[in-house]
Amino acid sequence: MLFRSLGLARWLVDRSNPLTARVVVNRYWEMLFGTGIVKTVEDFGSQGEWPSHPALLDWLATEFVRRDWNLKAMHRLIVTSATYRQSSRMTYPGDPENRLLARGPRKRLTPYAIRDAALFTSELLNGKIGGPSVKPYMPPGIWKSISNAKYAQDKGEKLYRRGMYT
């Protein structure tokens, strides 16, 4: 079993297999722009949409591999690009989904990323890896419309765990 898994792992990152790098880069693009270069991020195969900018997707994927699959370098490359840094104001009404990349993303970070960045900057971020989910601050009564269950907010350093644990 180990050798089959190792073979699969090697195939996934083989330079002659562009699919993995394209999928990773497309998901990163979606995270930063709200829509992937291939809009159907969850269906990258023949059933999904074609890329809006195939040459850009190919270039980003080859850069990702050339930079040794370094996610931090890929993140920096995208957020320092002219496309990302331009205004998010809509200047071309004929492209409401911004498939032509005429503007920057309207939402640049998720609420979880903003929260984690604020906790990190204030040196409050709890770096513990793994464990059960945590219950962060919530407005009073928010659960009443959803459930009769009582929401018990966590206390102490649990409040400062990364967003992926909430």
Side-chain angles (χ1 to χ4, degrees):
M1 179 69 174
L2 176 64
F3 293 112
R4 282 188 276 166
S5 298
L6 182 59
L8 174 63
R10 286 184 175 148
W11 174 78
L12 283 173
V13 295
D14 190 290
R15 289 184 181 271
S16 64
N17 175 17
L19 183 61
T20 306
R22 285 180 178 154
V23 169
V24 171
V25 165
N26 191 57
R27 285 186 180 267
Y28 246 68
W29 189 273
E30 181 207 25
M31 181 181 74
L32 295 167
F33 280 87
T35 304
I37 297 170
V38 175
K39 188 176 178 183
T40 52
V41 176
E42 70 286 346
D43 190 355
F44 207 81
S46 61
Q47 299 297 311
E49 285 191 22
W50 287 97
S52 60
H53 296 75
L56 174 61
L57 181 62
D58 288 345
W59 181 78
L60 287 170
T62 56
E63 277 298 299
F64 185 45
V65 173
R66 190 182 70 75
R67 296 172 187 223
D68 295 323
W69 302 83
N70 185 328
L71 290 171
K72 185 175 180 180
M74 187 55 42
H75 189 88
R76 177 176 284 133
L77 178 68
I78 294 172
V79 300
T80 58
S81 71
T83 304
Y84 187 82
R85 292 182 297 137
Q86 63 191 347
S87 170
S88 62
R89 189 172 44 101
M90 188 165 38
T91 55
Y92 182 62
D95 184 26
E97 293 183 339
N98 197 28
R99 302 304 286 156
L100 300 176
L101 307 177
R103 61 185 185 276
R106 188 173 67 84
K107 292 182 179 177
R108 298 186 189 230
L109 289 174
T110 64
Y112 295 109
I114 292 169
R115 177 186 176 273
D116 290 352
L119 288 173
F120 178 81
T121 303
S122 64
E123 298 181 355
L124 289 172
L125 186 66
N126 179 347
K128 180 183 174 200
I129 305 293
S133 296
V134 296
K135 299 178 188 119
Y137 300 104
M138 287 284 172
I142 196 166
W143 292 106
K144 286 183 182 175
S145 64
I146 301 170
S147 167
N148 290 330
K150 300 276 187 206
Y151 183 81
Q153 174 183 308
D154 281 328
K155 305 282 184 224
E157 63 181 29
K158 281 186 175 182
L159 285 176
Y160 307 118
R161 299 277 313 276
R162 290 185 59 202
M164 65 187 293
Y165 297 110
T166 57

